[in-house]
Amino acid sequence: LSGGNMKKFLLVALMTLLFCGCSMTGTPSIKVSEYLSKFNSLDELVIQDMESTIQGENLSVENTTIYRNVLQRQYQDLKYDIVEESINGDSAVVIAKITVYDLHTSKMNSEAYMNEHQDEFLDMDNMFDQESYMKYRLENMLSTKDTVSHNISFNLTKKDDEWVIDEIDRVTLEKIHGLYFENQD
């Protein structure tokens, strides 16, 4: 390509990229990707929600730190793929496949261990020591390498020419946190 043709080619290529970029920024799939990537980047709102959740658990300082590490690891290592997008007027559904650490199984394994080894979780008065057990359970959650995958359907509504994710339900949050169990409902 000559100098003039190269400039025209680059200009057309740049215009095409800009056009594609503009048309992609507001799609339902992009909105879901943005939502899920906020977990990966530990977005400010994700951290606020995480801290609120942690405070609600009434843990010791040590266990609070471990739990914070469990959730941060879960969020940062969350993997996702957009599987499908369907739009019907001002409504859309985006299906994303996520892969997270299987904290549910880790929790269940910890409970089974505790039930079989209760003497390991007794305090000096031979009473069950909840903090000791929680430390054990949280450390197991922090060290698990087992993962689980779920398909999540995100519903979106177009408001003022912008796609907005509808309220996230409890099941979706349990899947993101790795605490969902298929037969619990």
Side-chain angles (χ1 to χ4, degrees):
L1 292 173
S2 68
N5 286 338
M6 178 64 99
K7 287 181 186 175
K8 286 179 188 175
F9 173 76
L10 290 175
L11 183 60
V12 169
L14 181 60
M15 297 286 281
T16 302
L17 284 173
L18 288 174
F19 176 73
C20 289
C22 290
S23 66
M24 290 296 288
T25 58
T27 68
S29 292
I30 294 295
K31 292 297 182 180
V32 170
S33 288
E34 288 171 352
Y35 173 76
L36 292 172
S37 68
K38 286 181 181 190
F39 287 94
N40 294 139
S41 66
L42 296 176
D43 178 82
E44 184 178 328
L45 291 175
V46 169
I47 294 294
Q48 287 174 5
D49 285 345
M50 179 186 75
E51 290 299 328
S52 176
T53 298
I54 291 169
Q55 293 305 315
E57 293 296 321
N58 195 27
L59 299 169
S60 69
V61 172
E62 181 181 17
N63 285 344
T64 295
T65 300
I66 298 168
Y67 191 34
R68 183 176 293 113
N69 291 336
V70 167
L71 292 177
Q72 287 178 346
R73 176 177 175 251
Q74 181 74 299
Y75 297 159
Q76 289 177 311
D77 293 353
L78 178 145
K79 298 193 181 358
Y80 65 90
D81 290 308
I82 302 300
V83 177
E84 184 180 328
E85 173 186 272
S86 60
I87 300 172
N88 185 3
D90 287 345
S91 297
V93 176
V94 174
I95 299 172
K97 179 181 179 183
I98 66 163
T99 302
V100 294
Y101 293 113
D102 187 359
L103 300 183
H104 173 75
T105 298
S106 176
K107 177 183 163 190
M108 298 308 293
N109 290 343
S110 294
E111 287 178 17
Y113 183 86
M114 186 254 323
N115 288 332
E116 294 173 13
H117 301 91
Q118 289 182 5
D119 57 318
E120 293 181 30
F121 302 101
L122 299 177
D123 63 16
M124 296 192 339
D125 296 325
N126 273 343
M127 301 295 291
F128 180 72
D129 184 355
Q130 182 68 25
E131 285 299 318
S132 173
Y133 168 67
M134 285 304 293
K135 180 178 180 186
Y136 172 80
R137 185 170 106 181
L138 290 168
E139 285 177 342
N140 282 338
M141 292 168 89
L142 184 60
S143 65
T144 190
K145 294 184 182 348
D146 296 333
T147 61
V148 62
S149 295
H150 299 287
N151 283 341
I152 299 176
S153 294
F154 291 92
N155 296 307
L156 296 92
T157 305
K158 195 176 227 182
K159 297 178 182 171
D160 298 325
D161 289 329
E162 174 124 5
W163 289 105
V164 178
I165 298 175
D166 295 350
E167 186 174 339
I168 304 297
D169 64 12
R170 175 188 58 82
V171 170
T172 297
L173 290 174
E174 287 177 358
K175 288 178 179 180
I176 290 171
H177 287 107
L179 296 172
Y180 181 73
F181 178 61
E182 226 37 69
N183 297 326
Q184 67 187 11
D185 290 329

